Amino acid sequence: MRRSGTAVAVAGALIAVGSVVAFPGTSSAAASPSPFSVPGRGATVPFTEIEAEAAATNGEQIGPDRVYTHLPSEASGRRAVRLDAPGEYVEFTLPKPANAMTVRYSVPDNAAGTGITAPVDLRINGTKLKDLQFTSRYGWFYGGYPFGNSPGDKPHHFYDETRTMFGSTLAAGTKVRIQVASTSVAPWVVVDLADFELVPDAISRPAGSLSVDDFGADRNGTSDSTAAFQAAVDAGKAQGKEVYIPAGTYTLWDHVVVDGVTLRGAGPWYSVLTGRHPTQRNRAAGVYGKYVSGGGYTGPIRSHEAGGPSRGVTLRDFAIMGDITERVDEDQVNALGGAMTDSVVDNLWIQHTKVGAWMDGPMDHFTLKNSRILDQTADGVNFHTGVTDSTVTNTFVRNSGDDGLAMWPDRIANVNNAFTSNTVVAPVLANNIVTYGGRDIKITDNVVSDTVTNGGGIHVANRYPGVNSGQGTAVAGTITVARNTLIRAGNSDYNWNFGVGAIWFDGLNEPVNATINVTDTDVIDSSYEAVQFIEGSTQTVNFSNVNIDGTGTYMIQAQAAAKASFTNVRAAHIGAGVAIHNCVGTGFAPTYGTGNSGWSPASTVCTGQWPAPNYIYDGSDPSPSPSPSTSPSSSPSPSPSPSPTACAPGSGDLARGKTVTATSSTQSYVAANTVDGDAGTYWESANNAFPQSITVDLCAVTPVQRVVLKLPPSAAWATRTQTLAVLGSTDGTNYTTLSPSAGRTFDPATGNTASISFTGASVRHVRVTVTGNTGWPAGQLSAFEVYGTGGTPSPSPSPSPSASPSPSPSPLPTGNLARGKAVSASSHADVYVAANTVDGNAGTYWESANNAFPQSITVDLGASVTVGRVVLKLPPSTAWGARTQTLSILGSTDGTNYTTIAGPTGHTFDPATGNTVTVTVPAAARRYLRLNVTGNTGWPAAQISEFEAYAS
């Protein structure tokens, strides 16, 4: 059904939903990346997400729109699909088998502000399976902070989520349809997305454990089980036994207070805690540590809650599904709270509470990991007051009512905490990730997206009560903001009436005085400016290897004094057409290092006015810095450079640099470490959770016959045997065994390497599944190498190169000796990395940092071999004008001592003759070849698309 300019009045609030309703600057030129499309960053989630606008539908797409109080602005990707008539639907096609789904949706509020509940049809291949209950009970807040439920101005928090299991496993290709019922009570339904997953079977009761049912808990949820749970965890502590929550739904009217005990369930889809006290509305389901007197919590403390922090707590494998429909900051109706030291929260599903985890310190060594936090009325997580050496990792947060992940050291310092490898999507208010104060804080390897209002993607600030240097709580030491990706981050602040940066710094309480390193970060399609300094002053922020692609307004908005350095910062698609808005003059004191491109410090204005955002991002999808990304070069060459071509399997180690995923990872030990060519970095799965697997996508179906697996070569890694199997697939869904499960010994005395040969097979996806490890209770690999016919394992980096070359070269080899070998460069620009020169594709190329000669590129041939000729290429396209590069070639047997084998000479690359240069060198045995470039008449950088070496 086609609509035009539709709007719906709900309880006095006009909410624009039609995709043709025009608002200034609300649309991007193209869709920016999904938060799940960034390899090596963010949480490893068990589901596959499909946006409604990418599915089949006879409804209407709404958005894109980033304006607060408009329905699309809170949708993932700022787009969704509206259904407003019986029979209208969104139909998803399963890309892989699934037995469960989560749907994110919105339905209208009612006039009383208490919400409606509307059944919709869930249909499988056209046949109705069941009703899904879409409700607005937990959404639709109004007015200014702290917001209310009575309909009025500024409606927001529109979306909610519901989950269901199908009752069987549906095959890939199955059609799953959300359809408006003929009896629908809702005038419209908006579907944002669906997450599909294959939920494992329920976890059985561990031997020797206690069960909450043994203490009178009611798994049917008809009566309050708080006392039974409390008795069970108290007994578990006294007896030194785990406490098990069987599959069921348990009603809790109050917190369960834990100390020195493990509380675990059958899995978050099976063991569910829910409920709220019927009369004391400040009591609700939750699991809390004991409070610390004089700590973060300043309210009344009951006797069984006193004496904190709790210690040695483990909470895992269950869900807390609250019933909180309003925000009252004083109410302790959070899923997790109190203080827990030396404690772990693992694999929880938290939804419809006030805050997922509001941890009131002092407390130390707390880890929250592998969890989902959804649909909160306030923060996702807050480390509040004196939380130290604590971490949130591999956790997915969506639709928090305030900051997604926050640290706030109110009165007592937060020190050495980390938010790492998380994905935080669509916080309705404030920031995706923030540290208010704190010393030596790490915010690394995260993906954040779709900030809604009054916040940015990542925020470092001296703001909020209790944050000051007098109490030691201000920003201090070294703040590490590294390897993060920010997508559609930042937005307008409805109090300030101007944009907030994707990354922003604020010295409201007092000047920020610390070393803040923002490195290897991608800032994509920002809603307003990419970087902002405001209030007080900030020093010193060091931006290095940062890619900014797409801003609604400026690259930098300097509204307060700041000292900052910029090195290898690349910018493109700046909406305002000017890089910097600076009205503080010399108060903004930047230092410009090398490698910056796409912007200029001279591109500065002070208008006194804030422009409407202008979205000109072109839909590129960069992968993480400093890995190759697919964004276009931000500095157009006088001779236009062709775009990089699609990924190809290549030769040598087919897995090197390819997309890799894992069932889980621990902290910074992510899957991408296995294909980075560095045996010193490694992947580690979640602990005590076998089986675990890691899968590499080779880009296309290709013959393979051997896998080489490595652990770091350091003797610090003791010998261990991992039980593992190798599997292959052509489609990423259906796998066959290439090498059956067997014990593989990794011994540092023999290089900590396991080579597994098998009958040749043509596959695209190669998977290693690990079921045991004698050295550590997790899957561990530093290199995951895959070889076809004749492939040779790449050498592991060693602290010092071999000082003993072979006494004589091997027999003259044939072909290009450099193809697929390890290669490094003195620098690279944007996506134009050294590996492009040995991939066999003349259409991809290496480009060094600009205006920074000399530059060099070095290839390791893997062994000492005879080299008598070097062939250098540029892309053959006529778009590349003729150019002369001044270069010399050096050789080495040990990687340390180099001799010149072809002196510095100008070599002309002419597209009329294939853009190829051949340099004959004295035939001799060499392992390392280095190209040294000191000039280029066509562009102020070194440029090579193929670096080939031949015996003669």
Side-chain angles (χ1 to χ4, degrees), residues 218-223 225 246-251 270-275:
D218 173 15
R219 70 171 66 183
N220 296 316
T222 56
S223 60
S225 294
T249 300
Y250 295 85
T251 297
Y270 301 102
S271 302
V272 179
L273 313 184
T274 189

Side-chain angles (χ1 to χ4, degrees), residues 323-554:
D323 193 32
I324 307 306
T325 60
E326 75 286 338
R327 175 167 180 168
V328 179
D329 285 350
E330 293 76 19
D331 287 355
Q332 287 293 302
V333 289
N334 309 315
L336 307 176
M340 301 183 196
T341 284
D342 297 327
S343 297
V344 176
V345 174
D346 188 2
N347 193 29
L348 293 198
W349 183 307
I350 296 171
Q351 190 172 0
H352 293 155
T353 58
K354 187 184 76 174
V355 175
W358 184 282
M359 308 310 299
D360 281 307
M363 53 185 272
D364 186 52
H365 286 100
F366 170 83
T367 297
L368 190 158
K369 62 182 181 178
N370 308 324
S371 296
R372 284 181 253 197
I373 301 174
L374 311 170
D375 307 320
Q376 302 296 298
T377 62
D379 296 7
V381 174
N382 196 307
F383 284 172
H384 179 234
T385 305
V387 178
T388 56
D389 298 304
S390 294
T391 299
V392 178
T393 186
N394 200 48
T395 290
F396 175 57
V397 182
R398 181 165 60 204
N399 199 39
S400 60
D402 211 315
D403 294 312
L405 299 176
M407 306 182 202
W408 176 21
D410 181 7
R411 305 188 316 279
I412 303 172
N414 284 352
V415 182
N416 199 34
N417 298 319
F419 291 153
T420 179
S421 298
N422 305 290
T423 299
V424 183
V425 176
V428 178
L429 177 74
N431 306 281
N432 296 73
I433 298 178
V434 59
T435 180
Y436 300 111
R439 184 168 75 249
D440 297 334
I441 302 300
K442 299 176 182 65
I443 300 172
T444 63
D445 302 289
N446 303 285
V447 177
V448 303
S449 73
D450 298 308
T451 321
V452 176
T453 191
N454 288 46
I458 294 177
H459 186 31
V460 179
N462 284 335
R463 296 174 65 204
Y464 286 95
V467 176
N468 58 73
S469 54
Q471 298 182 95
T473 55
V475 175
T478 300
I479 308 299
T480 301
V481 181
R483 300 177 304 280
N484 299 289
T485 297
L486 300 87
I487 304 168
R488 299 179 297 271
N491 219 320
S492 179
D493 185 298
Y494 61 73
N495 293 315
W496 285 337
N497 291 316
F498 53 73
V500 175
I503 303 177
W504 65 300
F505 306 90
D506 191 326
L508 175 64
N509 292 7
E510 64 177 61
V512 174
N513 189 6
T515 299
I516 304 170
N517 296 322
V518 181
T519 62
D520 303 325
T521 289
D522 295 283
V523 187
I524 308 302
D525 198 12
S526 302
S527 294
Y528 284 78
E529 68 274 16
V531 177
Q532 180 187 28
F533 300 95
I534 191 170
E535 299 182 316
S537 63
T538 298
Q539 65 174 6
T540 301
V541 184
N542 302 307
F543 294 90
S544 177
N545 199 30
V546 175
N547 175 44
I548 296 171
D549 193 355
T551 69
T553 55
Y554 304 102

Side-chain angles (χ1 to χ4, degrees), residues 151-176:
D153 68 341
K154 295 188 179 73
H156 59 279
H157 213 135
F158 303 119
Y159 290 86
D160 198 11
E161 303 180 30
T162 189
R163 66 181 191 174
T164 190
M165 296 187 73
F166 299 135
S168 63
T169 298
L170 306 181
T174 301
K175 308 293 186 182
V176 179

